[in-house]
Amino acid sequence: MSSLSARACGIDFGTSNSTAGWLRPDANTLLTLEDGKVTLPSVVFFNVEEDATCFGRQALAEYLDGYEGRLMRSLKSLLGSSLIDGQTEVAGRALPFRELLQHFIGEIKRRAELSAGRSFDTAVFGRPVHFVDDNPAADARAEATLAETAHAVGFREVSFQFEPIAAAFHYEQSITREELVLIADIGGGTSDFSLVRLSPERAKLNDRRDDLLSNAGVHIGGTDFDKYLSLAGIMPLLGYKSRLKNNAEVPSSYFFNLATWHTINFNYNRKIWSELQEVYRDALDKDRLDCLLRVIERREGHWLALRVEEAKIALSDAASATLQLDRIKEGLTHVIDRDTFESATAQLVDDVEFTVAELLRDANLARQDIDTVFFTGGSSGIPMLRQRIAAQLPQARPVEGDLFGSIGAGLAVEAMRRYGPMAG
């Protein structure tokens, strides 16, 4: 490590969690962002009762404590989507989604500077291999939006690095010999993969283009696993796939919005409430529709999504998870087993596995040539996903990185490489 501190920082703006890294002598690379922790959950809560905006764990705590307001999560999912030019309502006023992004990224910057004891005007931001699948123009717009947001909150100079490459640079700090590594970064919003040649000697080079053998990514991450687990395991309790008197299904859009982090708030308006009254009149199973109406009327969608996320995490280690759903219906508990989870998300896993297979073909390497699979990203702990990736490289050594910190730490390494140490 250099005996000087870096001029620039690294920012990992994640779908579920964000980190900031700064390379300096004899200190942790990751900066503390909330209550001594290096991660800041990517959550904003506009507390109407207190007329205050809060972030991260505090945002979730105030929402769950029952304060009236608007919770926003999975903000990164706005990048590259048509929603970015839209707005939401907060305390009776329109809040553009671009302004919402500025709120959060500005808060990362403020907290990083507070932790570092200095200001930052230069940063390397992480980005997924694809913000948007199979649409280069939309992908470029997403990166441009993130750059514009960073400039708007006070970063003078901004550049980007693929998130799995950043994770590779972090892993490279720990190895003693050359390795050919598949970086598997399974985050909240995307699954990104890179094949990289790493070694202590190569780490000293400024130009690493020859060491990057192949990149691939797909817009599938932990929030997608949440969504399909919710649709399979929870939404039927609220009337998903139940019937109307004409034998048609209850419209699925209400359930899809509730099961998707960044669209939960779409159900909270007068038009939807009026539609649901008509649906309810024609519903054959009014008991279950009562549960849906209760969730929407009381704005419990994010509370329910958090319960689903907890079940997903529990199912990484256990065969089943029991959810306490008393806010839906008094005394209601519900058990979800791993078979339900794996069946609901099988297509997602297939798509990720196909992406890895294509990456290996594009690199024109034999599978036995890969020395290591380096797993990072909070969703890389999903057992079926990890097993299917590892099965493609049975001779490679699996290594688990810091699931939430590898990218931010690697971006800090890249920030020093690109922008050098502080003057003086």
Side-chain angles (χ1 to χ4, degrees), residues 131-202:
F131 279 109
V132 184
D133 293 340
D134 304 318
N135 190 334
D139 188 81
R141 284 196 299 273
E143 183 180 291
T145 298
L146 186 52
E148 289 161 10
T149 304
H151 288 305
V153 303
F155 285 110
R156 183 178 54 81
E157 190 172 355
V158 173
S159 60
F160 294 91
Q161 179 58 274
F162 289 136
E163 289 157 357
I165 299 300
F169 291 155
H170 172 62
Y171 173 60
E172 191 173 46
Q173 308 295 300
S174 68
I175 63 177
T176 57
R177 60 178 180 83
E178 183 172 301
E179 296 181 21
L180 184 55
V181 183
L182 172 67
I183 305 292
D185 170 25
I186 319 292
T190 58
S191 296
D192 291 320
F193 304 94
S194 294
L195 272 171
V196 196
R197 200 176 300 281
L198 303 174
S199 74
E201 291 73 29
R202 292 173 187 274

Side-chain angles (χ1 to χ4, degrees), residues 14-70:
T15 302
S16 300
N17 291 277
S18 296
T19 60
W22 176 40
L23 219 57
R24 59 230 159 113
D26 304 319
N28 290 334
T29 300
L30 292 175
L31 297 165
T32 57
L33 299 183
E34 185 179 20
D35 296 333
K37 297 180 175 64
V38 297
T39 55
L40 179 69
S42 302
V43 185
V44 182
F45 182 60
F46 298 96
N47 187 324
V48 173
E49 292 181 47
E50 305 284 341
D51 190 25
T53 303
C54 54
F55 303 86
R57 294 169 188 82
Q58 183 188 354
L60 288 168
E62 291 194 8
Y63 167 76
L64 292 173
D65 283 345
Y67 283 95
E68 184 182 345
R70 176 60 62 90

